[in-house]
Amino acid sequence: MQNILAIDDKPEYLEPLAGLLNRHNFAVDTLTNPFQALQQFQSKQYHCVLLDVKMPGKSGLEVLDELLRENPTVPVIMISGESTIPIAVKAVKTGAFDFVEKNGSFQNILDAIEKAMARLQQLGISDDVSTCQIPGIIGNSPVIQSLCRRIRHVTMTNVRVLITGESGTGKELVAHAIHKLSGRARKPFVTINCAAIPRDLFESELFGHRKGSFTGAVKDQLGKFLEADGGTIFLDEIGEMDMALQAKLLRVLQEGEIEPIGGGRPQPVDVRVLAASNRDLEAAVADGNFREDLYYRLSVVRLNAPPLRDRIGDVPLIAQHFLHEYARKYGRNTMQFSPAAVAMLQQQRWQGNVRQLQNVIENAAIFSPTTTVDAETIQEILADANPLNTPEPEPTTLKQATDSFERSYILQQLEANDWKIQQTADALGINRSALFKKMRRLGIRK
């Protein structure tokens, strides 16, 4: 059942609308206060939002901007009692999925919702719009949603893709996803790490050899390209490939055939090539360390796996995913994080990216004394880990110091009051709206 959030300051309008949508098998939450929209939107996974344009205190366009910053994939349908073309144009330009009028009938709203559901299904987002829904990729941040959309596009063709990004960002996961969603999914996916194979064995690994073609060649070997015939080959750390071998790879890409060491007739191969590098290949081309013609052959499309620091909001989702996996692996009951532990994870630099976070969570699943991993356990693991696992540096300005103290104190009060917002606001001596603004500014989420 799809979840819908309907926001309008008139309860007399929301009540019959919700009743109708319930009869059409939608689960509807209604809200009359636009200032609570973002908090409600964050509390649940919604497949569609109905949003009134004109509300007291805060316009629908302001709310639309907040919701789309939080999750740009959820379709937002703007509803207005006034037929104003400029507002409609502005809403659609801002990112609204559709704009409908209040005309006494709800049929136009139902039609717009059906179009939105069809669009989500077309994009492969039907059950959980908060996640990317690309195999192996977890997150709902804007950079990840953008990456997922680009992955879906490239799976429709056999175009070559160069995947860039720092170590530990999941470049191989991106390559796996492209293969699994493509028409080659039933064929082999072959990975070769260009940095891990000795230089004198590299050509044989890629293209194969004939028996007796060199010392140690005691039998014929197919090579990775023939192993991947009909499927996909993933050349990881392509920037480490020797220049002489780059020329031979270029020929394979141009001619569509390989020639094993030791001679024999060239053999045609049908392989999709995906490559990855954490090096700046354009700089390597400029320095004469990578062939320019090969670079352009490999990078018909470029996808970037973003560093974890650019999607810190995804840390809770990724951490919980790994915790579930490792709890099951090590025979522990269902495990979770305390809010303070999540906050601590989100404060780290994660120079080693997702791979580093994964290692920390595996340790947490092993060493946590209870099924709730607390901040103290995380702190101990980070302290014992390698130097990359360091917290953010000490504040160097008054504002940084103030924000750090304020965030820590608000988290303490939230936990002390079981995350009850009104109780916490009372304890802090501020109103709910002010507390929500501070939580948003300081990146505090349950």
Side-chain angles (χ1 to χ4, degrees):
M1 181 178 287
Q2 285 91 4
N3 298 322
I4 293 181
L5 175 60
I7 307 169
D8 193 297
D9 63 299
K10 297 179 179 62
E12 65 270 21
Y13 178 79
L14 287 175
E15 186 175 347
L17 173 62
L20 176 69
L21 295 178
N22 286 331
R23 291 193 293 276
H24 281 78
N25 295 319
F26 293 108
V28 185
D29 290 327
T30 61
L31 193 65
T32 57
N33 186 347
F35 290 96
Q36 297 174 354
L38 182 60
Q39 182 209 4
Q40 180 63 38
F41 186 70
Q42 292 170 336
S43 71
K44 194 171 182 178
Q45 296 166 1
Y46 288 103
H47 297 79
C48 183
V49 177
L50 306 176
L51 179 59
D52 189 23
V53 171
K54 199 170 183 180
M55 293 180 287
K58 195 171 193 177
S59 75
L61 292 176
E62 291 177 282
V63 175
L64 171 66
D65 187 58
E66 288 182 346
L67 301 187
L68 292 179
R69 280 204 305 269
E70 180 69 16
N71 189 341
T73 64
V74 178
V76 179
I77 299 169
M78 304 298 293
I79 304 172
S80 175
E82 304 172 2
S83 178
T84 55
I85 293 176
I87 292 178
V89 170
K90 187 173 182 180
V92 172
K93 280 187 175 180
T94 302
F97 176 79
D98 206 348
F99 186 97
V100 298
E101 295 178 40
K102 294 180 182 177
N103 57 8
S105 166
F106 292 130
Q107 187 57 51
N108 55 350
I109 295 177
L110 279 172
D111 293 341
I113 292 173
E114 287 179 5
K115 285 196 298 181
M117 296 302 108
R119 178 60 175 160
L120 289 177
Q121 191 170 22
Q122 181 184 5
L123 292 174
I125 308 173
S126 55
D127 297 318
D128 181 0
V129 295
S130 73
T131 57
C132 174
Q133 293 201 339
I134 293 289
I137 299 177
I138 301 167
N140 61 10
S141 60
V143 289
I144 283 296
Q145 295 292 352
S146 174
L147 175 62
C148 290
R149 286 193 293 271
R150 288 173 62 78
I151 288 173
R152 289 191 186 96
H153 287 145
V154 300
T155 58
M156 302 297 197
T157 69
N158 283 320
V159 65
R160 297 187 195 108
V161 180
L162 176 64
I163 306 164
T164 60
E166 298 173 8
S167 293
T169 52
K171 297 186 290 295
E172 187 168 352
L173 291 176
V174 173
H176 266 289
I178 293 171
H179 174 73
K180 287 178 182 177
L181 295 174
S182 74
R184 297 174 177 263
R186 296 181 181 275
K187 296 294 185 177
F189 177 85
V190 177
T191 297
I192 186 164
N193 189 326
C194 300
I197 299 173
R199 183 194 227 170
D200 52 350
L201 296 178
F202 210 122
E203 184 176 357
S204 171
E205 282 288 319
L206 281 183
F207 310 129
H209 61 253
R210 301 297 185 198
K211 179 181 177 180
S213 57
F214 56 85
T215 303
V218 295
K219 61 180 180 180
D220 288 354
Q221 178 172 304
L222 286 178
K224 299 295 185 182
F225 267 84
L226 280 179
E227 284 181 29
D229 195 26
T232 304
I233 190 165
F234 175 51
L235 301 175
D236 197 9
E237 302 303 341
I238 187 70
E240 306 303 320
M241 183 177 285
D242 181 76
M243 290 289 283
L245 194 58
Q246 289 178 30
K248 295 184 178 182
L249 175 60
L250 179 65
R251 182 180 177 279
V252 172
L253 299 182
Q254 290 172 333
E255 306 296 333
E257 58 185 25
I258 60 104
E259 190 171 335
I261 297 174
R265 296 173 58 185
Q267 297 177 259
V269 287
D270 172 24
V271 174
R272 181 181 193 172
V273 176
L274 307 176
S277 177
N278 61 9
R279 292 179 57 190
D280 184 344
L281 290 187
E282 289 185 350
V285 168
D287 293 340
N289 296 321
F290 199 85
R291 291 183 64 107
E292 184 176 22
D293 45 6
L294 177 59
Y295 170 75
Y296 287 113
R297 287 278 180 177
L298 292 171
S299 61
V300 178
V301 171
R302 286 185 61 166
L303 298 180
N304 182 63
L308 195 51
R309 63 180 173 274
D310 286 354
R311 56 185 191 110
I312 209 69
D314 290 335
V315 166
L317 283 172
I318 299 168
Q320 189 59 54
H321 167 77
F322 286 138
L323 188 63
H324 175 74
E325 277 195 351
Y326 288 122
R328 185 173 54 187
K329 177 180 178 180
Y330 296 117
R332 302 199 63 174
N333 295 327
T334 301
M335 301 183 72
Q336 61 182 359
F337 295 99
S338 73
V342 173
M344 181 169 288
L345 289 172
Q346 289 186 286
Q347 291 170 359
Q348 305 309 307
R349 295 177 182 177
W350 301 120
Q351 291 171 305
N353 294 298
V354 176
R355 188 180 298 133
Q356 181 190 3
L357 174 62
Q358 182 177 0
N359 291 342
V360 170
I361 303 311
E362 182 171 12
N363 276 268
I366 296 170
F367 293 113
S368 177
T370 67
T371 56
T372 297
V373 180
D374 58 22
E376 185 179 356
T377 299
I378 295 296
Q379 190 171 27
E380 289 175 356
I381 293 168
L382 291 171
D384 291 341
N386 67 57
L388 289 179
N389 289 319
T390 54
E392 289 294 337
E394 289 296 316
T396 57
T397 67
L398 179 60
K399 185 179 185 309
Q400 288 175 344
T402 303
D403 285 351
S404 177
F405 171 79
E406 192 174 15
R407 191 178 197 284
S408 176
Y409 188 69
I410 290 174
L411 274 170
Q412 289 176 15
Q413 292 299 319
L414 284 164
E415 291 206 273
N417 290 282
D418 294 325
W419 285 77
K420 293 182 173 66
I421 300 299
Q422 188 60 61
Q423 282 183 216
T424 305
D426 291 342
L428 293 169
I430 59 178
N431 60 40
R432 288 170 59 94
S433 177
L435 176 56
F436 280 130
K437 286 180 181 178
K438 287 180 180 293
M439 290 172 65
R440 177 70 176 169
R441 179 174 63 82
L442 297 169
I444 299 174
R445 287 180 60 183
K446 186 174 181 180

